[in-house]
Amino acid sequence: MDMKSKLNKFAGGAGTLFNRAVQFTEEKLGSAEKTELDAHFENLLQRAEKTRIWTERVLKQTEAVLQPNPNQRMEDLLYEKLEKKKKDRVTNAEQLGLYMVDSGNDFGPGTSYGNALIKCGQAEIKIGTAEREFVTQSVNNFLQPLRNFLEGDMKTIMKEKRLLEVKRLDLDAAKSRLRKAKSPNAQQQAEADLRAAQTEFDRQAEITKILLEGINSTHAHHLRCLNDFIEAQMTYYAQCQQHMVDLQRQLGSYSAGPNVGGGNLPNMHQSSSAFTNNINPLEPSAPPAIQVTAATPTEKKQARVLYDYEAANSSELSLLADELIMVYSVAGLDPDWLMAEKKNTHGVVPLTYLEILE
């Protein structure tokens, strides 16, 4: 390309930019007409913008839930940008557990207090491990897909949307030049420019529309990711509950079982002296006997056992993970417990350990 051609190309590009600037200014001043998009297209644009805004907010707040420390979040982001592996940190629960175990060993595992500290520390370490797994699953199955959308599809949509606005300015500038053209030659050139601008605008509008309609698929994908996130939360909280129930049982502070027949549960905040002297403050208040034959059971349903469960007393029924049992509720039974039957034996079991099958 010779120098003259380069100068002509540069002049043409500068003229196009100037025409866009004039059109944009006149539109802001209200002295120029503006091509409006149809209502359906405008709705697609608004939906895409809402998706961008709320995805950013949900992403940011989920990050805060998974990692409350803003400094560590910033450090993780830096490692991610540098494409380096993040440091493996000890969770707060794990650190607490380590301190408890160390202090229990220091006081002496043979003492009541030392032994209890070790057991509590081991439970906290298990909770910390469960938290680490929950965070990893949430990042991989929920946060990362949201980030990928914002950094991929959404950036493409924003780019094509800006390009559509440029083509729209070119189209309206061509319309304005045609209205202002006086001579036949000027009108002929303006008409040719208008046809070219209209073609470019229509093509870009179609590209942008296809991308915008893809937001429906994005919502469906994000819904699946949201379900994965909630399932990970449910698993995490169920694990935490099981660890705490097991710990209470080890400490001898949860032997009363469910509240059946309206009896009062013993006070869980008894004097600590009973515990430190290896006296179980709950022993005198055994749960009332369950009169199964006197109660009218509801419809029996099949349930799958989610976790192993060891009966704390004769009114409860021990369970093994993945086994199938029949369950039903009886009058006066605590709503968090169900009556269960298996192999001609029956007893109450905690509802949280079961998945009721339809």
Side-chain angles (χ1 to χ4, degrees):
M1 183 181 294
D2 57 19
M3 183 60 67
K4 183 177 181 180
S5 298
K6 290 182 179 179
L7 290 175
N8 289 335
K9 184 177 180 180
F10 176 78
T16 300
L17 291 175
F18 176 76
N19 290 334
R20 290 172 187 166
V22 170
Q23 178 66 26
F24 180 80
T25 303
E26 290 180 348
E27 286 177 1
K28 291 299 181 182
L29 296 176
S31 58
E33 295 182 4
K34 176 181 178 181
T35 298
E36 298 293 342
L37 299 169
D38 61 70
H40 176 63
F41 203 106
E42 289 288 353
N43 288 335
L44 291 176
L45 287 172
Q46 292 176 9
R47 192 172 189 221
E49 184 63 12
K50 287 180 181 179
T51 301
R52 180 187 67 81
I53 292 173
W54 286 112
T55 301
E56 288 176 347
R57 291 178 181 176
V58 170
L59 173 64
K60 183 177 180 180
Q61 193 57 38
T62 305
E63 290 174 337
V65 169
L66 298 179
Q67 177 50 266
N69 189 322
N71 293 329
Q72 291 186 358
R73 288 204 304 274
M74 185 62 66
E75 183 178 299
D76 290 343
L77 179 62
L78 180 61
Y79 275 96
E80 182 180 328
K81 294 299 182 182
L82 296 176
E83 297 183 351
K84 291 185 177 181
K85 184 179 178 181
K86 293 187 291 185
K87 294 189 299 184
D88 289 331
R89 298 191 187 92
V90 176
T91 65
N92 291 331
E94 287 174 316
Q95 188 64 64
L96 173 60
L98 292 173
Y99 284 157
M100 285 183 168
V101 171
D102 289 344
S103 62
N105 287 323
D106 195 20
F107 288 126
T111 66
S112 298
Y113 184 41
N115 183 264
L117 279 170
I118 293 174
K119 290 179 178 179
C120 290
Q122 291 169 342
E124 293 294 339
I125 291 174
K126 291 179 181 178
I127 289 177
T129 302
E131 178 187 355
R132 188 192 300 274
E133 294 174 353
F134 162 60
V135 171
T136 300
Q137 291 179 1
S138 298
V139 169
N140 293 337
N141 300 333
F142 186 57
L143 290 187
Q144 198 56 50
L146 297 188
R147 290 196 192 105
N148 292 342
F149 164 71
L150 291 174
E151 296 173 1
D153 291 350
M154 197 64 230
K155 278 190 175 181
T156 301
I157 290 174
M158 298 298 291
K159 175 185 175 182
E160 297 299 333
K161 179 184 173 183
R162 289 191 296 269
L163 187 55
L164 177 63
E165 178 63 12
V166 169
K167 299 299 183 183
R168 201 272 309 163
L169 286 171
D170 290 344
L171 175 62
D172 288 335
K175 291 178 180 178
S176 178
R177 290 197 303 274
L178 179 59
R179 287 193 298 268
K180 296 176 181 178
K182 302 300 182 182
S183 66
N185 289 337
Q187 290 179 353
Q188 185 177 4
Q189 182 61 47
E191 288 174 354
D193 292 343
L194 177 58
R195 286 193 297 270
Q198 186 70 58
T199 300
E200 288 293 317
F201 174 78
D202 292 341
R203 186 179 69 85
Q204 185 59 37
E206 186 62 26
I207 293 173
T208 307
K209 183 178 180 181
I210 292 173
L211 292 173
L212 292 173
E213 289 174 341
I215 291 294
N216 289 331
S217 299
T218 298
H219 284 189
H221 181 221
H222 287 182
L223 176 58
R224 292 192 295 270
C225 296
L226 180 62
N227 286 332
D228 290 341
F229 176 58
I230 297 305
E231 185 176 345
Q233 278 189 310
M234 290 173 59
T235 301
Y236 168 58
Y237 291 132
Q239 289 174 337
C240 291
Q241 182 186 24
Q242 183 178 4
H243 292 324
M244 287 296 97
V245 169
D246 293 343
L247 175 61
Q248 283 185 317
R249 203 172 280 120
Q250 291 176 33
L251 296 178
S253 61
Y254 188 67
S255 63
N259 184 14
V260 182
N264 293 325
L265 286 174
N267 184 5
M268 300 298 289
H269 301 285
Q270 299 281 354
S271 171
S272 60
S273 61
F275 172 73
T276 55
N277 289 309
N278 279 335
I279 299 174
N280 185 358
L282 300 175
E283 272 187 349
S285 302
I290 302 176
Q291 302 295 332
V292 179
T293 57
T296 302
T298 61
E299 179 184 0
K300 293 183 180 181
K301 294 184 177 180
Q302 193 176 50
R304 183 174 68 87
V305 179
L306 299 176
Y307 318 103
D308 291 346
Y309 178 76
E310 183 179 352
N313 53 54
S314 60
S315 69
E316 299 180 15
L317 187 64
S318 295
L319 304 173
L320 294 176
D322 293 326
E323 69 177 337
L324 298 177
I325 60 175
M326 300 302 295
V327 296
Y328 57 91
S329 62
V330 296
L333 185 62
D334 190 296
D336 292 331
W337 295 73
L338 289 173
M339 183 63 67
E341 292 182 355
K342 68 169 185 176
K343 298 179 181 178
N344 299 323
T345 60
H346 61 263
V348 291
V349 295
L351 180 59
T352 53
Y353 280 63
L354 305 175
E355 176 188 2
I356 307 300
L357 304 176
E358 295 298 334

